[in-house]
Amino acid sequence: MKKEKKIITSKRRSFIKKAGLLTFGVAGASVVKAPYAYSASNPIKWRLQTYSGAPLGAHVIKPQIEAFNKAAYGEMEIELYYADQLVPTDELFRAMQAGTLDAVQSDDATMGSPVDISVFGGYFPFATRYSLDVPALFKYYGLNEIWDEAYSEVEGVKWLSTSAWDPCHLFTVNKKVTSLADMKGLRVFGVPTAGKFLAQYGLIPVTVPWDDVEVAMQTGELDGVAWCGFTEAYEVGWADICKYALTNSVTGAWFGSYFANQKAWDKLSPKLQALYRMSINDSHYYRQVWYWGGEADLRVNGKKMELTSLPDNEWAKVVNDSKAFWDETSSISPRAKKVVDAFKLYANTMEKAGYPYR
């Protein structure tokens, strides 16, 4: 009996030893052959620069980056840089394409994207009325496919996702705007597309580094901003300088996107790519709620700015003028026309749907 037990024990030990060697051999082979292998002591490092300054970045991107770095658990770490810290904002695209930056958060127009749809990034007049319009347009009206197609034609860059930020209002330091005539001569910081549209009423778009906007308004270099909504104006301190806020919004939500350098993106494992996309989606949700809740609350309860509005007939003219702007933009290219056609179809659908959509 003891002899039989000894034989069984010996066989078990032999099996475990062989199984261990086999497992080690398989694991060793997989480590050598696998394209994705990481060490907690040597994580992948990315440098990401956002369009926003630090006060705004605390909401529009910092929570996402912190969450991603924690979830990556030593396999990857993203270093976050704010507006103009590494490169000027209008050079973000080229810096990412060249590999100076691994990733970017911005709208297409502000970062100087060399694609025929860049004009739609940021604030395209009256393309949206509410923040949920943006993800709906991308998911159900073909914009996801159009953006992916456009950036697939540009070497070295990967477009990842677009969603909504806040609406675009005009905030002024000293001049009260109660008519279109009051816009004439106002030097205003803002995103390119909205600035181009509003220029027909005499507004003068001015470009300065984001961190210089506050000082430029204090010194009189700028008369105001047409860059954001109420939530952002209060958060970054512009509401402390501007005395007046125009309640009419030229569009309901900013088109903001996430991009990556193609080589940097391709080096990530499928797991890390999925994790990064998940963190982007979580950031989209965070902003949607943060902006939406703030816009209503600060219009009603905010005490820092006096609210003004344009007369109904003048505002109707602005809305009508946007039709010509749309038609002009659709002539850029067949792809640009597809985007405008999607806007028209969406607007028509929303009008027909009625309350609570329009």
Side-chain angles (χ1 to χ4, degrees):
M1 187 69 177
K2 287 183 179 180
K3 185 177 181 181
E4 183 179 346
K5 185 175 181 181
K6 187 175 181 180
I7 292 172
I8 292 173
T9 303
S10 177
K11 285 182 178 180
R12 282 177 179 168
R13 288 173 180 168
S14 178
F15 173 77
I16 292 170
K17 185 177 180 181
K18 288 178 181 178
L21 287 171
L22 181 62
T23 303
F24 176 81
V26 172
S30 65
V31 169
V32 172
K33 293 180 181 179
Y36 313 108
Y38 309 101
S39 168
S41 62
N42 186 31
I44 290 175
K45 293 228 176 182
W46 266 19
R47 298 201 299 180
L48 183 153
Q49 185 171 311
T50 177
Y51 73 96
S52 71
L56 175 60
H59 290 280
V60 299
I61 193 163
K62 188 179 179 183
Q64 175 213 349
I65 300 305
E66 290 179 338
F68 175 84
N69 286 343
K70 184 177 180 180
Y73 205 62
E75 292 185 19
M76 181 172 170
E77 181 182 348
I78 298 176
E79 297 172 349
L80 175 60
Y81 296 89
Y82 297 106
D84 306 304
Q85 282 191 332
L86 292 181
V87 300
T89 298
D90 61 359
E91 294 179 14
L92 282 175
F93 188 92
R94 283 172 289 179
M96 174 177 54
Q97 193 175 32
T100 305
L101 297 170
D102 299 291
V104 164
Q105 180 200 49
S106 177
D107 72 271
D108 313 69
T110 300
M111 68 185 283
S113 294
V115 293
D116 54 359
I117 57 167
S118 64
V119 66
F120 301 109
Y123 292 118
F124 192 79
F126 302 104
T128 63
R129 301 296 180 93
Y130 308 106
S131 58
L132 278 175
D133 291 343
V134 180
L137 280 161
F138 273 82
K139 184 174 178 63
Y140 295 110
Y141 287 77
L143 267 58
N144 266 325
E145 292 74 17
I146 292 172
W147 256 248
D148 186 60
E149 176 188 87
Y151 283 101
S152 294
E153 296 172 2
V154 181
E155 185 177 356
V157 170
K158 174 70 174 177
W159 168 78
L160 295 171
S161 182
T162 299
S163 197
W165 269 248
D166 52 345
C168 183
H169 290 270
L170 174 61
F171 303 102
T172 51
V173 179
N174 291 311
K175 189 171 182 180
K176 183 185 294 190
V177 176
T178 58
S179 70
L180 286 176
D182 293 332
M183 291 188 184
K184 190 172 182 179
L186 287 177
R187 294 159 299 176
V188 173
F189 172 75
V191 291
T193 306
K196 181 182 177 182
F197 175 70
L198 293 173
Q200 65 186 300
Y201 309 113
L203 206 73
I204 302 172
V206 178
T207 301
V208 298
W210 193 92
D211 281 337
D212 294 345
V213 172
E214 185 172 339
V215 173
M217 287 195 291
Q218 290 172 328
T219 60
E221 182 183 351
L222 289 174
D223 298 305
V225 294
W227 165 270
C228 61
F230 283 75
T231 307
E232 198 164 307
Y234 272 81
E235 184 66 27
V236 304
W238 295 344
D240 296 323
I241 301 167
C242 294
K243 295 178 182 177
Y244 305 104
L246 186 64
T247 59
N248 306 90
S249 60
V250 71
T251 190
W254 189 71
F255 280 36
S257 295
Y258 285 85
F259 304 86
N261 173 274
Q262 186 70 63
K263 289 182 180 178
W265 179 254
D266 292 341
K267 287 179 182 178
L268 300 188
S269 67
K271 182 185 80 171
L272 286 174
Q273 289 181 353
L275 186 63
Y276 188 62
R277 287 187 182 275
M278 288 170 65
S279 73
I280 289 174
N281 288 336
D282 189 59
S283 182
H284 288 334
Y285 177 77
Y286 178 100
R287 285 190 317 277
Q288 192 97 55
V289 176
W290 181 65
Y291 275 126
W292 184 258
E295 292 304 303
D297 179 63
L298 291 170
R299 284 199 214 191
V300 175
N301 300 311
K303 306 300 182 185
K304 293 182 178 180
M305 296 182 288
E306 180 184 336
L307 304 185
T308 68
S309 299
L310 295 180
D312 289 344
N313 64 317
E314 290 199 352
W315 187 240
K317 171 178 167 47
V318 175
V319 175
N320 190 61
D321 288 345
S322 69
K323 295 177 182 178
F325 191 83
W326 283 27
D327 290 339
E328 177 188 341
T329 305
S330 68
S331 67
I332 292 175
S333 69
R335 187 156 51 209
K337 185 178 184 303
K338 284 184 181 179
V339 178
V340 173
D341 287 344
F343 288 162
K344 289 179 178 179
L345 176 60
Y346 183 77
N348 185 51
T349 303
M350 294 296 105
E351 290 296 337
K352 288 180 178 178
Y355 179 83
Y357 296 99
R358 290 292 185 275

